[in-house]
Amino acid sequence: MRFAPAVLFCSGLLLFVGGDDPALAKDPGAGTADDPFTGFEEADWDDPWDEEPQGLDWSGFIESAAGARWNDVSNLDRLTLGEFRVRAETRHVAEHYRIDFKGELLWDQVVTDLDAQVRELAVSFTPARFMDVKIGRQVLTWGTGDLLFLNDLFPKDFVSFFAGRDEDYLKSAADTARVSFYTDVVNLDLAWTPDFAPDDYLYGERFVFWNPALGAAAAPATPRRATAPGDDEFALRLFRTVGPTEYAIYGYDGRWKQPLGADADGRPIFPRLRSWGASVRTPWLGGLFNAETAFYDSLDDPRGDDPRIPNSELRLLLGYEQELVRNLTGGIQLYAERISDHDRLIENAPVPARAREEWRSVATLRLTHRAWRDALTSSLFIFVSPSDEDFYLRPSINWRRDDHWSLSGGVNLFGGREEHTFFGQLEDNSNGWFRLRYNY
């Protein structure tokens, strides 16, 4: 609860700050002698446009989705996506606050389970002119990367991402208090999550992954998640826009978002993590350029000599996006990770040949084409790692028939020279998928 007092203090300001919106001023000099409508009261007019909306306005969608892997693997079915989803969302706006709700009912055929999920249930208010507050379940994001996350350490759902669900589901919800301060010098975002929210990572329920104990990519006979600690997390962002350029500085105190460590008994754990970083995004040569860096300080292994805990590392990102021709947009990114104390990592690794390289590099390419008045969108996203010699391809297509119906399809294709690398371990998870959605 290191930062809890600051957040509670900010939230407590709500008790003392507030006020009504200023009433619209009326013109005291407005005469009525020449007014042909003098004598009529407003209540005498039957204006259908003057009626206040009653009740909540609900919207959402109904979606059916299916997907399957291309290869048979042990302990898993070929079905990777088989679900029926109903989303309902609404918003209640009052004079001094707003409540947002997004909820879903999901039948998942892969795990044969019916689940109710709340993706958003949060109250927002503005206790002062320089301050916004949002408390409750919500999806948070910041940073400049495109599907590459350096300073965005809010939870991600990689199971949804690899299965072919809508890309929005890559960002998971968390129960968080977010307070934003706005000044003439710099703006500040504070996000406090009282109960650590890990990623939805691969643990063998739907996809295989590298298992060091087996020395192979496989799914365990009994899928089991690591126990998440009940610690809090704290994230901050200082940001400012100067002309067309956005600058930001980030901080995070919590844990690695996936169980990358192991305890003395070999059980997976979430080691402690603190990170600092910065980013810039600006128009350049007719496109948009971004750069971002972050340093991950692995607090449970400061010397880098414990093979059960990930070492600290530096992350770097450069990106550029531009419209290449009409309706065709392209974006490239160059990303690198450098492991600290790599020599100690090699010295203490159980199998040095399978230890991470000191540098890991990834290049990405996104191509997006829109046609038929934006009713047909084709996209290709490519991850290629020269250092690991592996890749991940995400081609997809979406056809929007009208304001209600849409049909999407795509492929997740993984490959690599070795089985233990980041994308190489996922080769047997290659799959195809489609989704049919009705918006209401």
Side-chain angles (χ1 to χ4, degrees):
M1 301 297 178
R2 301 167 298 281
F3 305 95
V7 176
L8 293 175
F9 170 75
C10 297
S11 303
L13 288 178
L14 172 65
L15 300 176
F16 303 98
V17 184
D20 298 331
D21 293 335
L24 294 175
K26 295 181 179 179
D27 183 2
T32 58
D34 299 327
D35 187 349
F37 300 103
T38 300
F40 288 90
E41 299 293 337
E42 288 188 5
D44 296 334
W45 293 86
D46 184 17
D47 184 0
W49 303 101
D50 197 34
E51 294 182 355
E52 293 287 339
Q54 301 295 319
L56 298 175
D57 185 16
W58 290 88
S59 62
F61 60 81
I62 302 170
E63 183 178 86
S64 181
R69 78 180 74 253
W70 297 351
N71 301 323
D72 290 322
V73 298
S74 299
N75 300 324
L76 291 176
D77 294 332
R78 297 193 68 167
L79 188 69
T80 54
L81 182 67
E83 60 190 33
F84 184 78
R85 183 187 300 266
V86 180
R87 158 81 70 88
E89 55 187 76
T90 189
R91 171 181 295 179
H92 171 67
V93 180
E95 186 175 3
H96 296 299
Y97 67 91
R98 188 185 75 201
I99 297 176
D100 294 281
F101 170 78
K102 294 179 182 176
E104 298 183 347
L105 192 63
L106 171 68
W107 170 256
D108 191 335
Q109 182 62 32
V110 177
V111 295
T112 59
D113 184 47
L114 180 65
D115 190 21
Q117 303 174 348
V118 176
R119 187 159 176 82
E120 183 173 12
L121 179 56
V123 57
S124 305
F125 46 89
T126 303
R129 295 183 60 185
F130 59 87
M131 180 180 179
D132 288 332
V133 178
K134 187 172 185 179
I135 298 176
R137 193 159 187 79
Q138 55 190 299
V139 175
L140 296 175
T141 186
W142 58 41
T144 64
D146 183 7
L147 300 183
L148 291 174
F149 307 102
L150 286 77
N151 293 291
D152 182 349
L153 287 164
F154 302 111
K156 310 293 184 303
D157 184 350
F158 291 100
V159 174
S160 293
F161 187 64
F162 294 147
R165 290 179 180 140
D166 191 293
E167 209 166 274
D168 288 345
Y169 288 97
L170 175 60
K171 307 290 181 64
S172 294
D175 300 323
T176 302
R178 176 173 179 167
V179 184
S180 301
F181 299 91
Y182 307 99
T183 72
D184 294 335
V185 179
V186 69
N187 305 312
L188 172 64
D189 278 335
L190 302 174
W192 176 60
T193 303
D195 194 11
F196 171 69
D199 290 343
D200 197 353
Y201 52 90
L202 308 188
Y203 63 100
E205 181 184 70
R206 198 177 306 243
F207 297 118
V208 302
F209 58 91
W210 174 252
N211 188 327
L214 299 176
T222 305
R224 186 177 61 182
R225 295 178 186 270
T227 301
D231 301 351
D232 61 340
E233 299 175 273
F234 184 81
L236 67 83
R237 177 180 65 157
L238 287 163
F239 61 103
R240 183 180 181 184
T241 301
V242 180
T245 304
E246 303 171 1
Y247 302 92
I249 296 174
Y250 308 89
Y252 171 81
D253 190 279
R255 292 180 176 271
W256 292 83
K257 305 299 285 189
Q258 299 191 21
L260 302 180
D263 63 13
D265 298 323
R267 291 173 298 201
I269 59 172
F270 298 87
R272 292 185 299 151
L273 174 68
R274 181 174 295 154
S275 77
W276 296 98
S279 71
V280 60
R281 176 159 47 199
T282 188
W284 186 49
L285 298 177
L288 194 61
F289 167 81
N290 65 283
E292 187 169 346
T293 183
F295 180 73
Y296 285 19
D297 188 2
S298 190
L299 300 179
D300 288 338
D301 187 21
R303 289 174 46 82
D305 52 6
D306 187 346
R308 299 171 302 169
I309 305 296
N311 285 21
S312 301
E313 59 187 56
L314 176 68
R315 299 189 174 193
L316 304 166
L317 174 70
L318 297 175
Y320 184 73
E321 180 183 12
Q322 185 177 34
E323 185 177 44
L324 304 176
V325 296
R326 185 178 180 183
N327 296 327
L328 177 62
T329 302
I332 58 172
Q333 297 180 113
L334 302 176
Y335 170 78
E337 299 172 356
R338 181 187 179 277
I339 304 294
S340 301
D341 303 310
H342 187 261
D343 52 343
R344 294 197 185 103
L345 175 68
I346 297 299
E347 290 173 5
N348 295 283
V351 185
R354 292 176 184 161
R356 292 178 57 182
E357 299 289 338
E358 182 175 8
W359 284 91
R360 174 175 177 258
S361 58
V362 176
T364 76
L365 170 67
R366 180 192 283 273
L367 295 173
T368 304
H369 181 257
R370 302 183 188 279
W372 301 353
R373 298 181 179 179
D374 293 342
L376 183 67
T377 302
S378 307
S379 176
L380 172 63
F381 202 104
I382 302 174
F383 297 84
V384 175
S385 174
S387 59
D388 287 356
E389 299 182 87
D390 58 5
F391 64 88
Y392 172 30
L393 308 182
R394 283 177 57 86
S396 66
I397 188 168
N398 174 270
W399 174 53
R400 180 171 51 81
R401 180 179 181 273
D402 51 33
D403 291 340
H404 297 291
W405 290 97
S406 64
L407 179 65
S408 304
V411 167
N412 291 294
L413 178 62
F414 306 92
R417 186 169 177 269
E418 298 185 84
E419 201 175 9
H420 66 277
T421 58
F422 193 87
F423 296 124
Q425 64 180 308
L426 306 176
E427 186 166 351
D428 285 338
N429 297 325
S430 296
N431 63 81
W433 55 268
F434 78 91
R435 301 191 306 266
L436 177 64
R437 175 178 291 193
Y438 176 80
N439 292 287
Y440 65 91

Coordinates of all heavy atoms in Angstrom, one line a residue, residues 129-177:
R129 N -11.5 21.6 -11.3 CA -11.3 21.8 -12.7 C -10.0 21.2 -13.3 O -9.9 21.0 -14.5 CB -11.2 23.4 -13.0 CG -12.6 24.0 -12.7 CD -12.5 25.5 -13.0 NE -12.2 25.8 -14.4 CZ -12.0 27.0 -14.9 NH1 -12.0 28.0 -14.1 NH2 -11.7 27.1 -16.2
F130 N -9.0 21.0 -12.4 CA -7.7 20.5 -12.9 C -7.6 19.0 -12.6 O -6.5 18.4 -12.7 CB -6.6 21.2 -12.1 CG -6.7 21.0 -10.6 CD1 -6.1 20.0 -10.0 CD2 -7.4 22.0 -9.9 CE1 -6.2 19.8 -8.6 CE2 -7.5 21.9 -8.5 CZ -6.9 20.8 -7.8
M131 N -8.7 18.3 -12.3 CA -8.6 16.9 -11.8 C -9.8 16.1 -12.3 O -10.9 16.5 -12.2 CB -8.6 17.0 -10.3 CG -8.5 15.7 -9.6 SD -8.5 16.0 -7.8 CE -8.3 14.3 -7.1
D132 N -9.5 14.8 -12.8 CA -10.5 13.8 -13.1 C -10.2 12.6 -12.3 O -9.0 12.2 -12.1 CB -10.4 13.5 -14.6 CG -11.0 14.6 -15.5 OD1 -11.8 15.4 -15.0 OD2 -10.6 14.7 -16.6
V133 N -11.3 11.9 -11.9 CA -11.1 10.7 -11.2 C -12.0 9.6 -11.8 O -13.2 9.9 -12.2 CB -11.5 10.9 -9.7 CG1 -11.5 9.5 -8.9 CG2 -10.7 11.9 -9.0
K134 N -11.5 8.4 -11.9 CA -12.3 7.3 -12.4 C -11.9 6.1 -11.5 O -10.8 5.7 -11.5 CB -12.0 6.9 -13.9 CG -12.9 5.9 -14.5 CD -12.7 5.7 -16.0 CE -13.7 4.7 -16.5 NZ -13.6 4.6 -18.0
I135 N -12.9 5.5 -10.9 CA -12.7 4.4 -9.9 C -13.6 3.2 -10.3 O -14.8 3.4 -10.5 CB -13.0 4.9 -8.5 CG1 -12.1 6.0 -8.1 CG2 -12.9 3.7 -7.5 CD1 -12.4 6.6 -6.7
G136 N -13.0 2.1 -10.3 CA -13.8 0.9 -10.6 C -13.1 0.0 -11.7 O -11.9 0.2 -12.0
R137 N -13.8 -1.0 -12.2 CA -13.3 -1.9 -13.2 C -13.2 -1.2 -14.5 O -14.2 -0.6 -15.0 CB -14.1 -3.1 -13.3 CG -13.5 -4.2 -14.1 CD -14.1 -5.6 -13.7 NE -13.4 -6.7 -14.3 CZ -12.2 -7.2 -13.8 NH1 -11.7 -6.7 -12.7 NH2 -11.6 -8.2 -14.4
Q138 N -12.0 -1.2 -15.1 CA -11.8 -0.4 -16.3 C -10.6 -1.0 -17.1 O -9.8 -1.7 -16.5 CB -11.6 1.1 -16.0 CG -10.4 1.3 -15.0 CD -10.4 2.7 -14.5 OE1 -10.2 3.6 -15.3 NE2 -10.6 2.9 -13.2
V139 N -10.5 -0.6 -18.4 CA -9.3 -0.9 -19.2 C -8.5 0.3 -19.4 O -9.0 1.4 -19.8 CB -9.8 -1.4 -20.6 CG1 -8.6 -1.7 -21.5 CG2 -10.6 -2.7 -20.4
L140 N -7.2 0.2 -19.0 CA -6.3 1.3 -19.1 C -5.2 1.0 -20.1 O -4.8 -0.2 -20.3 CB -5.6 1.6 -17.7 CG -6.6 2.0 -16.6 CD1 -5.8 2.2 -15.3 CD2 -7.2 3.4 -17.0
T141 N -4.7 2.0 -20.7 CA -3.6 1.8 -21.7 C -2.8 3.1 -21.9 O -3.4 4.2 -21.8 CB -4.1 1.3 -23.0 OG1 -2.9 1.0 -23.9 CG2 -5.0 2.3 -23.7
W142 N -1.5 3.0 -22.1 CA -0.7 4.2 -22.5 C 0.6 3.6 -23.1 O 0.8 2.4 -23.2 CB -0.5 5.2 -21.4 CG 0.2 4.7 -20.1 CD1 1.2 3.8 -20.0 CD2 -0.2 5.1 -18.8 NE1 1.6 3.7 -18.7 CE2 0.7 4.4 -17.9 CE3 -1.2 5.9 -18.2 CZ2 0.7 4.6 -16.5 CZ3 -1.2 6.1 -16.9 CH2 -0.3 5.4 -16.0
G143 N 1.4 4.5 -23.6 CA 2.6 4.1 -24.4 C 2.3 4.3 -25.9 O 1.2 4.7 -26.3
T144 N 3.4 4.1 -26.7 CA 3.3 4.4 -28.1 C 3.4 3.2 -29.0 O 3.3 3.4 -30.2 CB 4.4 5.4 -28.5 OG1 5.7 4.8 -28.3 CG2 4.4 6.7 -27.6
G145 N 3.7 2.0 -28.5 CA 3.9 0.9 -29.4 C 2.6 0.3 -30.0 O 1.5 0.5 -29.4
D146 N 2.8 -0.3 -31.1 CA 1.7 -1.0 -31.8 C 1.8 -2.5 -31.5 O 2.7 -3.1 -32.2 CB 1.7 -0.7 -33.3 CG 0.5 -1.3 -34.0 OD1 -0.4 -1.8 -33.3 OD2 0.5 -1.2 -35.2
L147 N 1.0 -3.0 -30.6 CA 1.1 -4.4 -30.2 C 2.5 -4.8 -29.5 O 2.8 -6.0 -29.4 CB 0.8 -5.4 -31.3 CG -0.6 -5.2 -32.0 CD1 -0.8 -6.3 -33.1 CD2 -1.7 -5.4 -30.9
L148 N 3.2 -3.8 -29.2 CA 4.5 -4.0 -28.4 C 4.4 -3.0 -27.2 O 4.1 -1.8 -27.4 CB 5.7 -3.6 -29.2 CG 6.0 -4.6 -30.4 CD1 7.2 -4.0 -31.2 CD2 6.4 -6.0 -29.9
F149 N 4.5 -3.6 -26.0 CA 4.2 -2.8 -24.8 C 5.5 -2.7 -24.0 O 6.1 -3.7 -23.5 CB 3.1 -3.5 -24.0 CG 1.9 -3.8 -24.9 CD1 1.6 -5.0 -25.4 CD2 1.0 -2.7 -25.2 CE1 0.5 -5.3 -26.1 CE2 -0.1 -3.0 -26.0 CZ -0.4 -4.2 -26.4
L150 N 5.9 -1.5 -23.7 CA 7.1 -1.2 -22.9 C 6.7 -0.7 -21.5 O 6.9 -1.3 -20.5 CB 8.1 -0.3 -23.6 CG 8.9 -0.9 -24.8 CD1 8.0 -1.0 -26.0 CD2 10.1 0.0 -25.0
N151 N 6.1 0.5 -21.5 CA 5.6 1.1 -20.3 C 4.2 0.9 -20.0 O 3.7 1.2 -18.9 CB 5.9 2.6 -20.4 CG 7.4 2.9 -20.5 OD1 8.1 2.8 -19.5 ND2 7.8 3.4 -21.6
D152 N 3.4 0.3 -20.9 CA 2.1 -0.1 -20.6 C 2.1 -1.5 -19.9 O 2.2 -2.5 -20.5 CB 1.3 -0.2 -21.9 CG -0.2 -0.6 -21.7 OD1 -0.5 -1.0 -20.5 OD2 -1.0 -0.5 -22.6
L153 N 2.1 -1.5 -18.6 CA 2.1 -2.7 -17.8 C 0.8 -3.0 -17.2 O 0.7 -3.7 -16.1 CB 3.2 -2.6 -16.7 CG 4.6 -2.7 -17.3 CD1 5.7 -2.2 -16.3 CD2 4.9 -4.1 -17.7
F154 N -0.3 -2.5 -17.8 CA -1.6 -2.9 -17.4 C -1.9 -4.3 -18.0 O -1.2 -4.7 -19.0 CB -2.7 -1.9 -17.9 CG -2.4 -0.5 -17.4 CD1 -2.0 0.5 -18.3 CD2 -2.6 -0.2 -16.1 CE1 -1.7 1.8 -17.8 CE2 -2.3 1.0 -15.6 CZ -1.9 2.0 -16.5
P155 N -2.8 -5.1 -17.4 CA -2.9 -6.5 -17.8 C -3.3 -6.7 -19.3 O -4.1 -6.0 -19.8 CB -4.0 -7.1 -16.8 CG -4.7 -5.9 -16.4 CD -3.7 -4.7 -16.3
K156 N -2.8 -7.8 -19.9 CA -3.1 -8.1 -21.2 C -3.7 -9.5 -21.3 O -3.3 -10.4 -20.4 CB -1.8 -8.1 -22.1 CG -1.0 -6.8 -22.0 CD -1.8 -5.6 -22.5 CE -0.9 -4.4 -22.5 NZ -0.4 -4.0 -21.2
D157 N -4.5 -9.8 -22.3 CA -5.1 -11.1 -22.4 C -4.5 -11.8 -23.7 O -5.0 -11.6 -24.8 CB -6.6 -11.0 -22.5 CG -7.3 -12.4 -22.6 OD1 -6.5 -13.4 -22.8 OD2 -8.5 -12.4 -22.5
F158 N -3.4 -12.5 -23.6 CA -2.7 -13.1 -24.7 C -3.4 -14.3 -25.2 O -3.3 -14.7 -26.4 CB -1.2 -13.4 -24.4 CG -0.4 -12.1 -24.2 CD1 -0.1 -11.7 -23.0 CD2 0.0 -11.4 -25.3 CE1 0.6 -10.5 -22.8 CE2 0.7 -10.3 -25.2 CZ 1.1 -9.8 -23.9
V159 N -4.2 -14.9 -24.4 CA -5.0 -16.1 -24.8 C -6.1 -15.6 -25.9 O -6.2 -16.2 -26.9 CB -5.7 -16.7 -23.6 CG1 -6.7 -17.8 -24.1 CG2 -4.7 -17.3 -22.7
S160 N -6.7 -14.5 -25.6 CA -7.7 -13.9 -26.6 C -7.0 -13.5 -27.8 O -7.5 -13.7 -28.9 CB -8.4 -12.7 -25.9 OG -9.3 -13.1 -24.9
F161 N -5.8 -12.9 -27.7 CA -5.1 -12.4 -28.8 C -4.7 -13.5 -29.8 O -4.8 -13.4 -31.0 CB -3.8 -11.7 -28.3 CG -3.0 -10.9 -29.3 CD1 -3.6 -9.9 -30.0 CD2 -1.7 -11.3 -29.6 CE1 -2.9 -9.2 -31.0 CE2 -1.0 -10.7 -30.6 CZ -1.6 -9.6 -31.3
F162 N -4.2 -14.6 -29.2 CA -3.7 -15.7 -30.1 C -4.9 -16.6 -30.6 O -4.7 -17.3 -31.6 CB -2.7 -16.6 -29.3 CG -1.4 -15.9 -29.0 CD1 -0.8 -16.2 -27.8 CD2 -0.9 -15.0 -29.8 CE1 0.4 -15.6 -27.5 CE2 0.3 -14.4 -29.5 CZ 1.0 -14.7 -28.3
A163 N -6.0 -16.5 -29.9 CA -7.2 -17.3 -30.3 C -8.0 -16.7 -31.5 O -8.7 -17.4 -32.1 CB -8.1 -17.6 -29.2
G164 N -7.8 -15.4 -31.7 CA -8.6 -14.7 -32.7 C -9.8 -13.9 -32.3 O -10.6 -13.5 -33.1
R165 N -9.9 -13.6 -31.0 CA -10.9 -12.7 -30.5 C -10.6 -11.3 -31.0 O -9.4 -11.0 -31.4 CB -11.0 -12.7 -29.0 CG -11.6 -14.0 -28.4 CD -11.6 -14.0 -26.9 NE -12.2 -15.3 -26.4 CZ -11.7 -15.9 -25.3 NH1 -10.7 -15.4 -24.7 NH2 -12.3 -17.0 -24.9
D166 N -11.5 -10.4 -30.9 CA -11.3 -9.0 -31.3 C -10.1 -8.5 -30.6 O -9.8 -8.8 -29.5 CB -12.6 -8.2 -31.0 CG -12.5 -6.8 -31.6 OD1 -11.7 -6.0 -31.2 OD2 -13.4 -6.6 -32.5
E167 N -9.3 -7.7 -31.4 CA -8.1 -7.1 -30.8 C -8.3 -6.3 -29.6 O -7.4 -6.2 -28.8 CB -7.4 -6.3 -31.9 CG -5.9 -6.3 -31.8 CD -5.2 -5.7 -33.0 OE1 -5.0 -6.5 -34.0 OE2 -4.9 -4.5 -33.1
D168 N -9.5 -5.8 -29.4 CA -9.8 -5.0 -28.2 C -9.6 -5.9 -26.9 O -9.3 -5.4 -25.8 CB -11.2 -4.5 -28.2 CG -11.3 -3.3 -29.2 OD1 -10.3 -2.8 -29.6 OD2 -12.5 -3.0 -29.5
Y169 N -9.8 -7.2 -27.0 CA -9.7 -8.1 -25.9 C -8.3 -8.3 -25.4 O -8.0 -8.9 -24.4 CB -10.4 -9.4 -26.1 CG -11.9 -9.2 -26.1 CD1 -12.6 -9.1 -27.3 CD2 -12.6 -9.2 -25.0 CE1 -14.0 -8.9 -27.4 CE2 -14.0 -9.0 -25.0 CZ -14.7 -8.9 -26.2 OH -16.0 -8.7 -26.2
L170 N -7.3 -7.9 -26.2 CA -5.9 -8.0 -25.8 C -5.7 -7.1 -24.5 O -4.9 -7.5 -23.6 CB -5.0 -7.5 -26.9 CG -3.5 -7.4 -26.5 CD1 -2.9 -8.7 -26.1 CD2 -2.7 -6.8 -27.7
K171 N -6.5 -6.1 -24.3 CA -6.4 -5.3 -23.1 C -7.4 -5.8 -22.1 O -8.6 -5.7 -22.3 CB -6.7 -3.8 -23.4 CG -5.8 -3.2 -24.5 CD -4.4 -3.0 -24.1 CE -3.5 -2.4 -25.2 NZ -3.9 -1.1 -25.6
S172 N -6.9 -6.3 -21.0 CA -7.8 -6.8 -19.9 C -8.2 -5.7 -19.0 O -7.6 -4.6 -18.9 CB -7.1 -7.9 -19.1 OG -6.8 -9.0 -19.9
A173 N -9.3 -5.9 -18.3 CA -9.8 -5.0 -17.3 C -9.2 -5.2 -15.9 O -8.8 -6.4 -15.6 CB -11.3 -5.0 -17.2
A174 N -9.1 -4.2 -15.1 CA -8.6 -4.3 -13.8 C -9.4 -3.4 -12.9 O -9.9 -2.4 -13.3 CB -7.1 -4.0 -13.7
D175 N -9.4 -3.7 -11.6 CA -10.1 -2.8 -10.6 C -9.1 -1.8 -10.2 O -8.2 -2.1 -9.4 CB -10.6 -3.7 -9.4 CG -11.6 -4.8 -9.9 OD1 -12.4 -4.5 -10.8 OD2 -11.5 -5.9 -9.3
T176 N -9.2 -0.6 -10.6 CA -8.2 0.4 -10.5 C -8.8 1.8 -10.1 O -10.0 2.1 -10.6 CB -7.4 0.6 -11.8 OG1 -6.8 -0.7 -12.1 CG2 -6.3 1.6 -11.7
A177 N -8.1 2.6 -9.4 CA -8.4 4.0 -9.2 C -7.5 4.8 -10.0 O -6.3 4.7 -9.8 CB -8.3 4.3 -7.7

